[in-house]
Amino acid sequence: QIKAGTFEMEGGTISANAGFGVLVGNSAAFRMNGGEIVQNKNSGVYLEAGKMEVSGGRIAENTSGGHGGGIYLNGGSLFMTGGIVEKNTANQNGGGLYTHGGKVELTGGVIRENTAKAENGGGGYYIPYAANPILIGENIQIYGNTTLIGTANDIRIGGGQTVSVLAVSEMGVEGYDCWYDGNSGSYLTEAVETDKNTGKASYLTATKLAEAD
């Protein structure tokens, strides 16, 4: 639990806790440059406030009985420029990442092979509410995630939220070149931009355009 000051993680392992792997609150800062946060039972990292910066390391195989198996952001800010969030599971939404409010910029790293068990639960990333515009761009890779029911496998964006998502072709992952939006039934080869005037939620899965045929 980090309530003040800065915790820098360069290596080592935080694992097998019955609660959160790391809890960040108040004015604290957590910088993850390496190491592993694995196999914790109530989210790998929970941010109730403060700031988290991820440039390396691995957040994996964590579970949550609710939301956010890998990372749950309830406030504060999250900046991801590297690292891997993979193989996490949420019984509800956001297998890899769940954010409700706060500030989020994902510009590097990988979010893959995470699972959400709720319907259209955003296996990779679930965004019910964006207090600030959310950026998902530059060098981030989000693919190969699963929602057990529905089509929001990689990213679910709530209606009326301001979110910018890079085109799949820009992720540079072999075998993927577009987003499939399961809510509209559309294959999207360009970047996805939503705002307060976007009425419908977006259920995004990285896929290959040839699968539309």
Side-chain angles (χ1 to χ4, degrees):
Q1 187 177 31
I2 314 164
K3 290 291 187 179
T6 300
F7 169 45
E8 293 210 30
M9 187 173 181
E10 302 287 348
T13 302
I14 298 172
S15 66
N17 291 287
F20 307 117
V22 176
L23 171 61
V24 183
N26 295 351
S27 59
F30 175 34
R31 294 177 182 153
M32 186 175 183
N33 306 315
E36 292 188 322
I37 300 173
V38 296
Q39 298 177 355
N40 298 284
K41 301 301 182 185
N42 196 11
S43 301
V45 180
Y46 181 86
L47 286 93
E48 61 182 14
K51 178 170 68 173
M52 181 178 183
E53 299 174 356
V54 185
S55 62
R58 181 171 175 260
I59 299 172
E61 300 173 27
N62 302 284
T63 59
S64 172
H67 306 308
I71 302 173
Y72 187 131
L73 184 142
N74 197 41
S77 56
L78 171 65
F79 302 95
M80 183 174 176
T81 58
I84 300 173
V85 178
E86 65 178 357
K87 300 179 181 178
N88 302 283
T89 301
N91 280 351
Q92 295 186 36
N93 302 305
L97 174 60
Y98 179 96
T99 64
H100 189 274
K103 180 177 177 62
V104 181
E105 293 184 4
L106 308 179
T107 57
V110 180
I111 299 174
R112 66 186 178 199
E113 297 177 24
N114 301 284
T115 302
K117 294 184 178 181
E119 183 173 0
N120 288 308
Y125 184 13
Y126 188 97
I127 309 167
Y129 167 66
N132 299 285
I134 290 177
L135 172 64
I136 304 171
E138 296 186 23
N139 298 309
I140 189 73
Q141 296 179 342
I142 304 178
Y143 66 94
N145 300 283
T146 302
T147 184
L148 295 188
I149 306 170
T151 57
N153 289 295
D154 289 314
I155 305 172
R156 185 197 187 278
I157 305 170
Q161 308 308 311
T162 301
V163 181
S164 176
V165 184
L166 79 171
V168 170
S169 60
E170 295 176 359
M171 294 197 301
V173 181
E174 186 176 356
Y176 299 90
D177 59 13
C178 70
W179 294 112
Y180 173 67
D181 183 351
N183 203 14
S184 66
S186 302
Y187 288 82
L188 310 171
T189 58
E190 304 296 329
V192 177
E193 304 282 347
T194 66
D195 58 28
K196 64 181 180 180
N197 297 314
T198 305
K200 285 187 175 182
S202 299
Y203 301 163
L204 302 180
T205 299
T207 188
K208 191 168 182 62
L209 190 59
E211 295 180 9
D213 298 333

